[in-house]
Amino acid sequence: MKFRTRAIHVGSEPDPATGAVVTPIHLATTFIQPGAGTWGQFDYSRSGSPTRAAVERTLANLEGAAGALAFSSGMAATHCATMLLHSGDHVVAGCDIYGGTFRLLHKICNRAGIEVTLAPADQAEQIQSSMKPNTKMVWIESIGNPLMTIPDIPAIAEIAHRHGALLGVDSTFAPPAILRPLELGADIVMHSATKYLGGHSDCLAGVLAARDATLHKELYYVQNATGAVLGGLECFLLQRGIKTLELRMREQCNSALQIATWLESHPKVTRVLYPGLNSHPNHARAKQYMGNTFGAMISFEIDGDYAKTKQVCESTKLFGLAVSLGAVESLIEQPASMSHASYDAQAKAKFGITDSLIRISVGLEDPSDLIEDLDQAIYAAY
Ligand SMILES: *Cc1c(COP(=O)(O)O)cnc(C)c1O
């Protein structure tokens, strides 16, 4: 079956008890056992629940994974993956990883004696030269933020595996409707399902999907032991969001390409970073991985300083001024003052986060309305 069909039917089979066509929201925390010392399919909801099992089945199927796990947030999912590591292990992570992941690695994992080296994920040779004998994990994002770089996932998987390390890919910006990192050699794929998978800004959730059953079992062991599972209501919302994932992505990607193309010809716009444009340094790789759907995140620079850029971001009427991404509502932000405000001047310069950079998350509104809104916001600053 095709992706769209699986997104609707796998894990959403009619309820055998009632015939209900949507998975019931099970809130029970405990389940009657067939006998003392004998276990049914479910016993206690931290260890598993029918609603969670259903959405995990959908996710595993869509990622091409042996198994998937649903967490209470994206960070809980990433944390679970890092808990596979032991004191003295080393991680190589992309240097443009999500700020929360940076904090987790440098302020929490370090307490357990885990060492971290950052390297530009879009340069596989730099990942290679950062590997050490004790490197046990490589962690990258499938689309870099905010410059939208695309790493060579198969090459990095090969480097990781040659060193006996796992490759984990945070694919929040590129959900399985457009990119499946496990098919490209990754061992673990992670999502902040808060973004595209949920898709409606109403469900905080995280996902890990593992390529093989042994790894899935190890991750499940950690999840059950530490407890950051997704609740029943959120499992239902996530399942509902996933049913329209492909449709939403296709529309959002089409709108993003249209908006990026328009921005590139705008007299006040000096640079557009979108993997779907010929001008993007990783366009060929993006095409190879994602076909004609290049995601719905765009960064661009305007011909202006920090204040003008801030003014553009504050002048939109449809685009909401907010971090986060991936929902039906379009959002706009200034990385220098918002998502990447914690970076010092040197780090900003190194990662190309200029004062005039703007990042947008293209939602599901009519693209012509979005273009009109951006145009009036840009001119409001001139
Ligand atoms: C939002 C986000 C996360 C963190 O997910 P939460 O659901 O907010 O915990 C991780 N990685 C990326 C790329 C994100 O955008």
Side-chain angles (χ1 to χ4, degrees):
M1 284 188 290
K2 297 286 191 287
F3 188 95
R4 228 161 101 180
T5 312
R6 290 184 279 123
I8 292 168
H9 289 287
V10 177
S12 294
E13 294 80 7
D15 178 35
T18 60
V21 296
V22 295
T23 309
I25 304 169
H26 288 278
L27 298 178
T29 52
T30 192
F31 299 82
I32 301 297
Q33 294 183 206
T38 53
W39 308 89
Q41 193 186 354
F42 300 103
D43 48 77
Y44 183 65
S45 67
R46 172 163 37 74
S47 307
S49 89
T51 318
R52 197 164 92 233
V55 74
E56 288 176 342
R57 216 141 40 79
T58 313
L59 287 160
N61 180 284
L62 297 181
E63 288 290 358
L69 299 165
F71 293 84
S72 52
S73 71
M75 288 320 304
T78 304
H79 187 214
C80 179
T82 65
M83 283 189 278
L84 293 176
L85 300 167
H86 294 89
S87 175
D89 288 350
H90 173 247
V91 181
V92 175
C95 51
D96 55 0
I97 47 169
Y98 180 68
T101 309
F102 181 94
R103 181 173 57 191
L104 174 72
L105 292 172
H106 289 88
K107 305 284 188 192
I108 304 294
C109 294
N110 65 317
R111 299 178 190 181
I114 291 157
E115 208 195 331
V116 184
T117 302
L118 300 180
D122 60 329
Q123 294 162 46
E125 62 288 355
Q126 299 253 24
I127 299 280
Q128 164 68 46
S129 61
S130 304
M131 300 296 286
K132 297 187 189 187
N134 58 336
T135 307
K136 292 286 155 53
M137 187 176 280
V138 176
W139 191 267
I140 59 171
E141 296 184 5
S142 56
I143 301 185
N145 176 27
L147 302 182
M148 312 304 157
T149 49
I150 314 277
D152 185 340
I153 299 173
I156 296 173
E158 201 271 323
I159 292 165
H161 296 155
R162 188 152 25 89
H163 288 79
L166 293 171
L167 173 61
V169 177
D170 176 341
S171 202
T172 299
F173 278 36
I178 65 171
L179 180 75
R180 287 168 297 280
L182 300 182
E183 289 174 0
L184 298 171
D187 302 289
I188 299 172
V189 59
M190 173 267 164
H191 288 281
S192 168
T194 315
K195 317 295 168 53
Y196 290 105
L197 290 171
H200 294 74
S201 307
D202 56 8
C203 174
L204 188 74
V207 171
L208 290 180
R211 183 139 72 134
D212 75 66
T214 309
L215 187 55
H216 172 249
K217 220 166 139 182
E218 283 174 42
L219 290 165
Y220 170 75
Y221 186 86
V222 176
Q223 186 196 38
N224 186 40
T226 56
V229 297
L230 192 63
L233 292 169
E234 283 80 6
C235 287
F236 171 82
L237 286 172
L238 179 55
Q239 180 87 288
R240 183 159 80 165
I242 290 170
K243 289 177 189 177
T244 55
L245 177 67
E246 196 199 61
L247 289 176
R248 285 186 284 111
M249 284 317 293
R250 194 191 307 159
E251 274 305 308
Q252 286 174 255
C253 292
N254 280 343
S255 295
L257 182 58
Q258 214 174 311
I259 292 168
T261 306
W262 171 80
L263 281 168
E264 217 170 29
S265 68
H266 196 286
K268 299 293 182 199
V269 172
T270 51
R271 189 177 180 214
V272 184
L273 291 157
Y274 181 66
L277 295 175
N278 275 319
S279 59
H280 192 281
N282 301 133
H283 177 64
R285 193 178 290 154
K287 212 170 164 57
Q288 188 193 331
Y289 296 171
M290 302 190 278
N292 288 317
T293 45
F294 300 97
M297 297 297 293
I298 305 171
S299 289
F300 62 98
E301 282 175 344
I302 60 155
D303 179 15
D305 58 6
Y306 182 90
K308 262 198 167 37
T309 309
K310 185 168 177 288
Q311 200 182 338
V312 171
C313 294
E314 289 171 349
S315 300
T316 53
K317 296 185 169 83
L318 287 174
F319 283 85
L321 181 67
V323 293
S324 196
L325 60 121
V328 296
E329 307 88 7
S330 294
L331 299 174
I332 190 164
E333 66 123 357
Q334 181 183 28
S337 64
M338 295 173 68
S339 60
H340 295 71
S342 62
Y343 283 41
D344 62 26
Q346 199 191 344
K348 278 180 180 161
K350 188 170 163 198
F351 303 131
I353 299 154
T354 61
D355 285 347
S356 60
L357 191 70
I358 294 173
R359 191 189 80 176
I360 58 174
S361 169
V362 176
L364 267 183
E365 302 91 339
D366 192 291
S368 63
D369 290 331
L370 295 175
I371 285 174
E372 201 172 299
D373 189 35
L374 283 175
D375 199 40
Q376 68 77 26
I378 292 169
Y379 282 112
Y382 285 88

